[in-house]
Amino acid sequence: MAMTGQSSCSSMSNHTRERVTMAKMTLENFYSNLIHSKLFTFLFGVCALQKRIRRSQHARKETEFLRLKRTRLGLEDFESLKVIGRGAFGEVRLVQKKDTGHVYAMKILRKADMLEKEQVGHIRAERDILVEADSLWVVKMFYSFQDKMNLYLIMEFLPGGDMMTLLMKKDTLTEEATQFYIAETVLAIDSIHQLGFIHRDIKPDNLLLDSRGHVKLSDFGLCTGLKRAHRTEFYKNLNHSLPSDLTFQNMNSKRKAETWKRNRRQLAFSTVGTPDYIAPEVFMQNGYNKLCDWWSLGVIMYEMLIGYPPFCSETPQETYRKVMNWRETLTFPPEVPISEKAKDLILRFCCEEEHRIGATGVVEIKSNPFFEGVDYDHIRERPAAIPIEIKSIDDTSNFDEFPDSDILTQSGVSNQTEHDLKNKDWVFINYTYKRFEGLTARGAIPSYMKSGKR
């Protein structure tokens, strides 16, 4: 019987396989949503008058929700204001919703590139996780939709920019500022872990700052822990050969920092990216858990205090070699002194997986001496370590300048033909999403926002 099943499966046509996969994804999405629906229980134990009031409130919300469900969002519902980010597979634009005047960050991803670079699992994971993770510590997604050429994620606009930009401006942070940002990132990462996810791509680029300078996690393209549709081979194309050029090893800390800053922005926009923040067990692909995110946080903490990450090199291959040999390469330059408490916590983050801080829970991290005096329960209510200056709701002064592009037109399509895209479009099924609260506040576009467009 087993042999018969195997032979029939192997003789299945590609078209049939695609239809079977599409059916699996549809059923998985349906039952996932069903499991997470909440029972209507708030009428129990209240008086008749309160029941009538609550029923009336529920009826109004139901009407709004049904209206939202019927609304078909598309690119024509948003006005593009400015490009605020660009990566290997697309870009991020500041946009304004035409009917409400609300400002959002629109992440645009080219379908052809997703297919060509086998990124479908990654982008589906990001979309699904942003739906599930409704937290103060995670960038909020309001809508997702698609057209023939692109995928679109409509997310809250965080005018503070990202941690990478802040570090490039400041060179190094004080230990007080580092304590604040690392403590907030601990809470952000833990909020993801509590939902059963591993982020796997914790780096300064993915730590966004809101209008008050507080941290929010973003970019969940490498996150894992949800559905089978998210699982893909990661980091499989990394060249593991050791290069002969080790000149970076002999640089002093000042030259390392200068070289790092010079190359950092280019690495952020490349397909390969930088392996500086990736835990060694992830590279080994022998199995890993959520502790890999704490390793990444240790690398970020080192960068905040020293000015560059501990394993930075001229090439990704050399960085990989240093990460894998971290016992010899993780050193602290004497010309940039830091406290013993800070050094100890970094070494507790960046160590063997079985000895890494956080293995017994996040309380182990929060109670570390480096975080002495941190009020975790109210940290988001206190002023940020470095204030953010925001002039208006659509202020983009904390972002780099980018030239406009043709990604929103058909001329931006890659080598794949429209026929190829149509045949493979089934992989993006169930991508559309609308957050209920996203359309509840309506109003005219404020005049200062109309005149303030850049």
Side-chain angles (χ1 to χ4, degrees), residues 120-231:
V120 175
H122 298 176
I123 187 56
R124 178 167 291 278
E126 178 172 36
R127 177 260 182 218
D128 289 350
I129 288 160
L130 288 172
V131 169
E132 301 285 344
D134 190 6
S135 165
L136 286 173
W137 297 107
V138 175
V139 62
K140 182 171 288 187
M141 183 181 74
F142 291 98
Y143 317 107
S144 62
F145 55 90
Q146 60 181 296
D147 57 25
K148 287 191 299 185
M149 303 301 170
N150 298 319
L151 303 172
Y152 304 91
L153 296 171
I154 308 299
M155 297 177 289
E156 64 177 319
F157 171 56
L158 300 177
D162 59 39
M163 185 59 64
M164 179 182 74
T165 303
L166 181 66
L167 290 176
M168 292 184 74
K169 287 179 181 177
K170 298 290 184 180
D171 289 330
T172 60
L173 303 183
T174 64
E175 292 207 6
E176 183 181 10
T178 300
Q179 182 200 62
F180 172 81
Y181 290 119
I182 295 297
E184 286 212 330
T185 307
V186 165
L187 296 178
I189 293 173
D190 182 55
S191 72
I192 292 295
H193 289 175
Q194 286 185 32
L195 292 171
F197 308 145
I198 309 172
H199 191 285
R200 296 199 292 194
D201 198 21
I202 300 293
K203 57 186 179 182
D205 321 49
N206 295 336
L207 304 181
L208 302 187
L209 302 174
D210 65 15
S211 58
R212 296 177 57 243
H214 291 273
V215 169
K216 287 201 176 192
L217 273 181
S218 73
D219 202 341
F220 295 86
L222 292 184
C223 203
T224 187
L226 264 180
K227 305 172 183 176
R228 284 189 297 272
H230 303 160
R231 298 169 193 165

Side-chain angles (χ1 to χ4, degrees), residues 61-62 64-66 68 433-440:
K61 290 197 173 195
E62 187 177 33
E64 289 180 19
F65 178 71
L66 292 174
L68 173 64
Y433 170 76
K434 305 183 195 80
R435 188 176 292 276
F436 179 41
E437 63 185 319
L439 281 181
T440 54

Side-chain angles (χ1 to χ4, degrees), residues 20-273:
V20 169
T21 306
M22 182 167 60
K24 282 182 181 177
M25 290 165 61
T26 303
L27 288 170
E28 186 178 54
N29 188 73
F30 173 79
Y31 284 107
S32 175
N33 293 336
L34 196 65
I35 289 168
H36 287 92
S37 64
K38 296 180 180 178
L39 295 176
F40 184 71
T41 59
F42 66 90
L43 289 180
F44 291 103
V46 296
C47 66
L49 177 61
Q50 284 294 319
K51 281 186 178 181
R52 284 198 299 272
I53 292 173
R54 292 188 180 187
R55 281 198 183 102
S56 177
Q57 291 173 341
H58 178 72
R60 283 197 300 272
K61 290 197 173 195
E62 187 177 33
T63 301
E64 289 180 19
F65 178 71
L66 292 174
R67 185 184 298 120
L68 173 64
K69 290 276 284 184
R70 289 193 296 269
T71 304
R72 290 183 63 85
L73 281 177
L75 196 58
E76 64 278 2
D77 295 299
F78 298 88
E79 182 178 355
S80 177
L81 303 181
K82 187 177 182 180
V83 179
I84 58 174
R86 185 161 288 144
F89 304 111
E91 64 186 29
V92 180
R93 289 178 178 244
L94 181 68
V95 299
Q96 192 170 46
K97 198 163 185 293
K98 293 178 180 177
D99 63 343
T100 65
H102 293 173
V103 173
Y104 300 99
M106 174 189 281
K107 186 172 183 177
I108 308 164
L109 298 164
R110 293 178 292 262
K111 284 185 178 180
D113 288 349
M114 295 293 102
L115 292 166
E116 185 179 345
K117 305 295 183 182
E118 298 181 340
Q119 297 293 307
V120 175
H122 298 176
I123 187 56
R124 178 167 291 278
E126 178 172 36
R127 177 260 182 218
D128 289 350
I129 288 160
L130 288 172
V131 169
E132 301 285 344
D134 190 6
S135 165
L136 286 173
W137 297 107
V138 175
V139 62
K140 182 171 288 187
M141 183 181 74
F142 291 98
Y143 317 107
S144 62
F145 55 90
Q146 60 181 296
D147 57 25
K148 287 191 299 185
M149 303 301 170
N150 298 319
L151 303 172
Y152 304 91
L153 296 171
I154 308 299
M155 297 177 289
E156 64 177 319
F157 171 56
L158 300 177
D162 59 39
M163 185 59 64
M164 179 182 74
T165 303
L166 181 66
L167 290 176
M168 292 184 74
K169 287 179 181 177
K170 298 290 184 180
D171 289 330
T172 60
L173 303 183
T174 64
E175 292 207 6
E176 183 181 10
T178 300
Q179 182 200 62
F180 172 81
Y181 290 119
I182 295 297
E184 286 212 330
T185 307
V186 165
L187 296 178
I189 293 173
D190 182 55
S191 72
I192 292 295
H193 289 175
Q194 286 185 32
L195 292 171
F197 308 145
I198 309 172
H199 191 285
R200 296 199 292 194
D201 198 21
I202 300 293
K203 57 186 179 182
D205 321 49
N206 295 336
L207 304 181
L208 302 187
L209 302 174
D210 65 15
S211 58
R212 296 177 57 243
H214 291 273
V215 169
K216 287 201 176 192
L217 273 181
S218 73
D219 202 341
F220 295 86
L222 292 184
C223 203
T224 187
L226 264 180
K227 305 172 183 176
R228 284 189 297 272
H230 303 160
R231 298 169 193 165
T232 316
E233 291 285 325
F234 298 104
Y235 316 112
K236 60 185 178 183
N237 294 322
L238 189 66
N239 183 359
H240 291 180
S241 60
L242 301 182
S244 56
D245 181 13
L246 303 181
T247 54
F248 205 87
Q249 183 71 33
N250 299 320
M251 292 185 186
N252 61 31
S253 60
K254 184 179 180 180
R255 286 187 62 204
K256 277 189 180 181
E258 290 172 352
T259 304
W260 173 251
K261 289 180 70 174
R262 188 170 62 248
N263 296 337
R264 185 62 175 88
R265 187 67 67 179
Q266 182 180 352
L267 286 168
F269 301 151
S270 70
T271 305
V272 176

Side-chain angles (χ1 to χ4, degrees), residues 365-427:
I365 300 174
K366 292 163 70 172
S367 59
N368 185 272
F370 180 77
F371 296 118
E372 184 179 358
V374 172
D375 183 1
Y376 290 100
D377 293 332
H378 302 96
I379 191 170
R380 212 172 175 89
E381 300 164 17
R382 62 165 282 192
I386 300 175
I388 301 293
E389 293 185 11
I390 305 296
K391 300 181 180 67
S392 64
I393 195 171
D394 58 346
D395 186 356
T396 59
S397 59
N398 292 304
F399 294 84
D400 287 342
E401 292 291 328
F402 295 91
D404 211 341
S405 70
D406 59 359
I407 193 172
L408 297 180
T409 65
Q410 291 194 17
S411 59
V413 181
S414 77
N415 296 329
Q416 296 211 37
T417 65
E418 187 173 327
H419 177 72
D420 292 334
L421 288 172
K422 188 174 181 181
N423 284 342
K424 296 178 180 178
D425 213 38
W426 63 269
V427 301

Side-chain angles (χ1 to χ4, degrees), residues 249 256 276 295 298-299 301-303 306 308-312 321-333 338 343-352:
Q249 183 71 33
K256 277 189 180 181
D276 281 86
W295 169 285
V299 176
M301 182 176 171
Y302 183 106
E303 182 176 357
I306 304 299
Y308 52 87
F311 311 110
C312 65
R321 187 195 69 81
K322 286 187 177 182
V323 171
M324 298 308 294
N325 293 280
W326 60 269
R327 291 175 182 83
E328 291 77 37
T329 58
L330 178 53
T331 58
F332 295 88
I338 63 174
K343 188 181 297 185
D344 176 73
L345 181 56
I346 291 171
L347 293 174
R348 294 292 311 282
F349 279 132
C350 299
C351 65
E352 296 91 347

